[in-house]
Amino acid sequence: MGKLVRLLLGIVGLIVIVVLAVNNRQIVELSFYPLPFTYETYVFAVFFGGLVIGSVLGWMAQIWASHDRRVEARRLKRRYVAEQVRADVLRRQEEEEAAKKVRERQQATAPSGRPLAISAPGR
């Protein structure tokens, strides 16, 4: 459903862009006041240039504003992974110790080194 909404909004946006470009083909003169040169271009090019520059600046502001959160998220992820590794190491050590205790018990009950024969009840 979300993809369909985005597709429809994209199509509407594209139609608006095409209509703006077709209806605003007049030539305007851009002058950058402190600089000594001017540039002639279409009105829609000025509009879309401003739109692109505004989008890039907005994107950069968003990245800058979320920098602290992203750094904290990376730090917490590294900490979580380290804790998972530590837990895995401890679990393996506990399993090895449990297996070692089982082997020691088996060796204590069967000093000959042979495995104990388990007989069925009543035999």
Side-chain angles (χ1 to χ4, degrees), residues 29-78:
E29 184 176 289
L30 288 177
S31 64
F32 301 98
Y33 174 65
L35 302 175
F37 65 90
T38 60
Y39 183 72
E40 289 186 357
T41 186
Y42 295 107
V43 172
F44 72 86
V46 173
F47 173 73
F48 293 137
L51 190 64
V52 167
I53 290 171
S55 296
V56 169
L57 290 176
W59 173 73
M60 289 171 56
Q62 180 185 11
I63 296 294
W64 184 38
S66 66
H67 176 72
D68 293 338
R69 287 189 302 263
R70 289 184 290 116
V71 167
E72 180 69 12
R74 279 194 301 264
R75 185 186 68 78
L76 289 173
K77 183 178 179 182
R78 283 192 299 266

Side-chain angles (χ1 to χ4, degrees), residues 16-31:
V16 169
I17 288 172
V18 169
V19 168
L20 278 171
V22 169
N23 289 331
N24 293 298
R25 291 181 291 152
Q26 300 86 6
I27 300 225
V28 294
E29 184 176 289
L30 288 177
S31 64

